[in-house]
Amino acid sequence: QVQLVEFGGDSVQAGGSLRLSCAVSEYTDTRTLAWFRQAPKKAREGIAAIHTRDSTTYYADSVQGRFTVSLDNVNKTVYLQMSSLKPEDTAMYYCAAARNVITRDYILIQTWYNYWGHGTQVTVSS
């Protein structure tokens, strides 16, 4: 059983930056890690993902160029560096892990993920 714990959510001004962290309890059982977010009354959205073996990254169009996902294999942590934040980035952010390598066409779809954290809130004010 893989446990995920997110850290780093906060309230920031538009244009600001924030880094989220997700501690992964068991690295050997995960091949894909991802960040999702869910705003009030909206569906959960996959925004960034990374393959743990080669660090290949994938991004949703909504965050491409502003967000960066990365791994710290020593500390078993996945990060989401967010910059140029916008009010529409306000959401609960979730870390997710999958036992398998998820290919590009499916990597931002929540169905393929086996484990989830409880989320951390990001609020961006204008």
Side-chain angles (χ1 to χ4, degrees):
Q1 183 78 10
V2 177
Q3 295 181 331
L4 306 169
V5 181
E6 301 96 336
F7 300 94
D10 205 347
S11 296
V12 296
Q13 295 279 335
S17 299
L18 203 59
R19 188 176 79 161
L20 304 182
S21 305
C22 173
V24 184
S25 67
E26 179 51 64
Y27 230 53
T28 57
D29 267 356
T30 61
R31 295 292 185 267
T32 308
L33 293 165
W35 288 95
F36 288 75
R37 67 184 181 187
Q38 188 165 20
K41 301 182 180 179
K42 291 191 175 181
R44 190 169 294 188
E45 172 193 20
I47 56 172
I50 187 166
H51 289 150
T52 60
R53 290 302 180 266
D54 63 8
S55 295
T56 305
T57 58
Y58 305 85
Y59 298 95
D61 290 344
S62 57
V63 305
Q64 179 76 48
R66 300 188 299 123
F67 291 12
T68 302
V69 60
S70 62
L71 290 174
D72 180 342
N73 292 318
V74 173
N75 293 309
K76 297 188 292 184
T77 301
V78 58
Y79 299 102
L80 184 68
Q81 179 68 48
M82 306 184 292
S83 60
S84 301
L85 283 162
K86 306 174 183 180
E88 50 264 44
D89 294 318
T90 294
M92 185 70 80
Y93 283 70
Y94 298 91
C95 179
R99 290 188 292 265
N100 300 319
V101 174
I102 304 175
T103 57
R104 173 186 294 273
D105 289 345
Y106 303 100
I107 201 166
L108 296 180
I109 300 174
Q110 59 177 329
T111 307
W112 301 99
Y113 288 85
N114 309 107
Y115 308 103
W116 291 84
H118 292 292
T120 186
Q121 177 68 37
V122 173
T123 302
V124 184
S125 57
S126 57

